[in-house]
Amino acid sequence: MFHNLLSVGPYGQWIVAIMATICSLTSGQFYAWPAAALPKINSGSAGFSLTDNESAWMITITFLGNILSPIPSGALMDRIGRRSTLSLGLLVAITSWLILAFQTDIVSILIARFLSGVWGGIVYTVVPAFLGEVVDPKIRGSMGAVFGVMLYVGALYESLASNVSYQLFIFISMIPPIILFVGFLFIPESPYYYLRKEKREKAKNSIIWLKGRCSDEDLDILQQRVQEQLEMKGTFCDIFRTKAGRKAFIIVEVLQAVQRCSGVTFLFAYTTVVVPESWLSPQDSFLLLTIVWITCSLLSSTFMDKFGRKTLLCISCLGSGLGMSAAAVWYYLRDFSEIDTSTTNYIPLLFLIFSGIFYSMGIVSIPTIVQSELFPVNVKSKGSALACITANIFSGISTRFFYDINDAIWVYFNFVIMGVSPLICVVFILTVMVETKGKSLEMIQDMLNGHKVVKPVAERFVISQGLGKGSPNEDPDQIATSLPSSLIPSQIPFGLDRPSFEFF
């Protein structure tokens, strides 16, 4: 809107990319808010209280908003633009915080939490497309990595902000979306959106603001690419018409379900409820966990492309599953044996840290990286939408029935589910999942169809000539892989193909 008032040369795309990734921070705030707010609500210091059933619905209804908003927001972004859709979504987020600040009845709280879920769905639908359309390929991977980490930074922000009164806590939580809304007034719309609407001059001005320059030849190439993308639309039914599509669907759905049942969704909401007081308070334990998640996610980006997807995911599932299973044993001994565990209250936190380290190695990112690699271009957005729905259904289930499981079986069984899910997934990975690292989309489709995969002649020539890193004996996959997957939940496509991002 006011972007013509500023001129930032070639750094415009960095400004837009950073602002877009901060949207993930604001979404992470909402997901982590229950863990930060429940101690205040349960103690009465918030000025109101909720029953266990109301608390469970307060958390779960967010995922209903996640399920319902991606498809409408995808249509809206094509109608009014990517930036405009995000700005409208930020108003939804700010409204959610305002309701939480001034209303304490359960109906108002549920409405606010539903709106927060709507904002989360908008973020994971629109931001990937926005980033893919305004950022150069050479920095797109790093921006995607930042996008992933920002979710955990949002959780860290909530944890730190919760050390004040309840209402002040809400107002502090409202600051990032307000700043972001104002910032969005000073950045341009995506040039792809303008070209879709045949507004060539506005598209050129947008590119100049983002990158400092734009030739007519570059604009012609971009316009041709947009037209090609518009002609490659698929339907939901196209996913199931081929053996490759059906197998891709099964792999993606199972991995997404396991990702959501393995712990982080649950811990975002209930860490301060389930972790006992020890060296650290439950609130400080949650703070420590968010730091562990952020640190390990950053470290995992350094070796994500050095190992195959299957190998890394197997290690991640084994470590995470064993950590959660060990925590389940401790809770079982505490509640069903005569062993005195009062002097070992720190052990669950250690097991959760151990599990979180391995979770960040693969489960948090590989399912949606694989999702972006398995579906062909014409149905990628459709497959991603289905995966988004599945992931949020399992997120809702894992949070909604926490108190019910506590009452019917006891708290340890929640950890049994989070431990067994990734361990069972190891069998699925070894028997069903295909290795996608360093494979072209065509090679992956051949593998899914059960055909023998032969490396392209051009790739064999590159290897034989030593044109990779200088050695003829290099790993072909390392040469074939040009973009790091780092810790982004799915690789951001260039152009209008827009898979949804899901993190936990």
Side-chain angles (χ1 to χ4, degrees):
M1 184 177 295
F2 301 116
H3 65 275
N4 291 327
L5 301 176
L6 299 174
S7 179
V8 292
Y11 302 104
Q13 61 176 325
W14 283 93
I15 295 173
V16 173
I18 292 171
M19 290 179 62
T21 57
I22 294 176
C23 289
S24 180
L25 181 151
T26 64
S27 181
Q29 287 181 259
F30 282 118
Y31 291 124
W33 178 79
L38 277 175
K40 298 180 182 296
I41 295 172
N42 292 337
S43 68
S45 63
F48 65 97
S49 60
L50 300 174
T51 65
D52 288 348
N53 186 56
E54 289 170 341
S55 296
W57 275 113
M58 176 189 73
I59 296 166
T60 304
I61 200 168
T62 302
F63 298 106
L64 179 60
N66 283 164
I67 292 170
L68 297 180
S69 60
I71 293 177
S73 61
L76 187 64
M77 65 184 269
D78 286 339
R79 180 174 292 272
I80 68 173
R82 287 80 168 114
R83 182 200 61 188
S84 299
T85 301
L86 288 172
S87 295
L88 184 63
L90 282 165
L91 291 178
V92 173
I94 294 169
T95 301
S96 175
W97 286 122
L98 285 172
I99 295 173
L100 290 173
F102 295 107
Q103 300 295 324
T104 58
D105 61 284
I106 183 60
V107 174
S108 298
I109 291 173
L110 292 179
I111 292 172
R113 295 292 294 165
F114 176 80
L115 292 177
S116 72
V118 170
W119 167 237
I122 292 173
V123 170
Y124 301 130
T125 304
V126 181
V127 170
F130 199 27
L131 284 175
E133 294 170 3
V134 302
V135 176
D136 282 337
K138 63 183 178 182
I139 65 170
R140 195 180 302 147
S142 59
M143 285 298 103
V146 173
F147 183 91
V149 173
M150 279 294 183
L151 186 90
Y152 298 125
V153 174
L156 180 62
Y157 182 94
E158 289 300 287
S159 181
L160 292 172
S162 65
N163 294 314
V164 294
S165 66
Y166 175 79
Q167 195 167 49
L168 181 58
F169 169 41
I170 300 298
F171 285 123
I172 292 174
S173 298
M174 204 186 305
I175 292 174
I178 290 176
I179 293 176
L180 202 56
F181 177 80
V182 174
F184 266 93
L185 297 176
F186 294 90
I187 64 173
E189 181 56 77
S190 163
Y192 279 80
Y193 168 74
Y194 284 134
L195 290 175
R196 285 174 62 96
K197 299 298 182 181
E198 299 181 353
K199 298 179 180 179
R200 184 180 172 92
E201 191 61 30
K202 287 187 175 182
K204 184 174 183 178
N205 291 335
S206 176
I207 295 173
I208 292 173
W209 194 97
L210 292 166
K211 302 181 180 180
R213 58 185 175 80
C214 177
S215 66
D216 289 336
E217 182 181 8
D218 290 338
L219 194 60
D220 290 338
I221 294 173
L222 192 60
Q223 191 163 19
Q224 180 182 357
R225 188 172 295 155
V226 169
Q227 189 60 39
E228 290 173 353
Q229 289 284 345
L230 290 174
E231 293 172 356
M232 292 178 62
K233 290 184 177 179
T235 66
F236 285 102
C237 292
D238 290 334
I239 296 174
F240 306 100
R241 288 198 172 117
T242 65
K243 178 181 177 181
R246 292 189 294 272
K247 187 170 183 179
F249 176 79
I250 291 171
I251 293 172
V252 169
E253 297 299 301
V254 170
L255 294 184
Q256 288 291 348
V258 170
Q259 181 193 63
R260 301 309 178 96
C261 291
S262 296
V264 169
T265 302
F266 175 87
L267 294 175
F268 257 58
Y270 293 118
T271 294
T272 54
V273 176
V274 300
V275 175
E277 184 98 23
S278 59
W279 301 329
L280 299 174
S281 67
Q283 291 89 339
D284 289 338
S285 296
F286 180 59
L287 175 62
L288 178 59
L289 277 174
T290 58
I291 294 173
V292 169
W293 293 332
I294 292 170
T295 304
C296 292
S297 294
L298 290 172
L299 291 176
S300 69
S301 66
T302 63
F303 57 78
M304 184 66 73
D305 281 327
K306 298 181 190 284
F307 301 94
R309 310 279 190 250
K310 293 177 66 173
T311 300
L312 201 54
L313 190 55
C314 274
I315 295 172
S316 179
C317 284
L318 280 172
S320 179
L322 290 174
M324 287 297 184
S325 298
V329 171
W330 186 91
Y331 281 100
Y332 182 86
L333 292 176
R334 184 193 69 174
D335 298 329
F336 291 96
S337 76
E338 301 196 5
I339 299 175
D340 182 12
T341 60
S342 61
T343 59
T344 61
N345 280 353
Y346 61 90
I347 287 182
L349 178 59
L350 294 180
F351 285 142
L352 293 182
I353 291 174
F354 177 85
S355 177
I357 292 171
F358 281 92
Y359 186 94
S360 301
M361 285 175 55
I363 301 177
V364 72
S365 56
I366 290 179
T368 35
I369 290 174
V370 170
Q371 167 190 313
S372 73
E373 296 170 329
L374 291 183
F375 288 117
V377 172
N378 65 318
V379 296
K380 194 183 295 288
S381 61
K382 303 296 188 298
S384 297
L386 292 178
C388 180
I389 291 171
T390 298
N392 282 293
I393 286 174
F394 279 91
S395 290
I397 291 173
S398 68
T399 54
R400 169 61 186 85
F401 294 105
F402 165 69
Y403 288 110
D404 298 286
I405 291 174
N406 282 3
D407 294 338
I409 305 175
W410 215 248
V411 66
Y412 82 92
F413 197 74
N414 288 288
F415 290 90
V416 170
I417 295 172
M418 293 184 286
V420 170
S421 296
L423 293 177
I424 292 177
C425 188
V426 172
V427 178
F428 179 83
I429 294 167
L430 296 176
T431 57
V432 180
M433 183 179 169
V434 297
E435 180 56 68
T436 60
K437 175 182 174 289
K439 306 295 191 301
S440 68
L441 293 179
E442 292 77 13
M443 294 168 67
I444 292 171
Q445 292 304 304
D446 284 341
M447 288 191 296
L448 292 171
N449 279 313
H451 300 157
K452 183 178 180 181
V453 176
V454 180
K455 290 189 181 297
V457 173
E459 184 178 325
R460 297 199 301 269
F461 174 78
V462 168
I463 298 167
S464 67
Q465 298 297 313
L467 298 178
K469 294 183 179 179
S471 169
N473 298 317
E474 288 175 291
D475 178 4
D477 287 347
Q478 291 182 357
I479 298 174
T481 305
S482 59
L483 288 176
S485 57
S486 65
L487 50 81
I488 46 177
S490 71
Q491 292 173 323
I492 303 175
F494 188 79
L496 300 177
D497 183 49
R498 49 178 186 274
S500 299
F501 280 28
E502 308 93 26
F503 288 89
F504 64 95

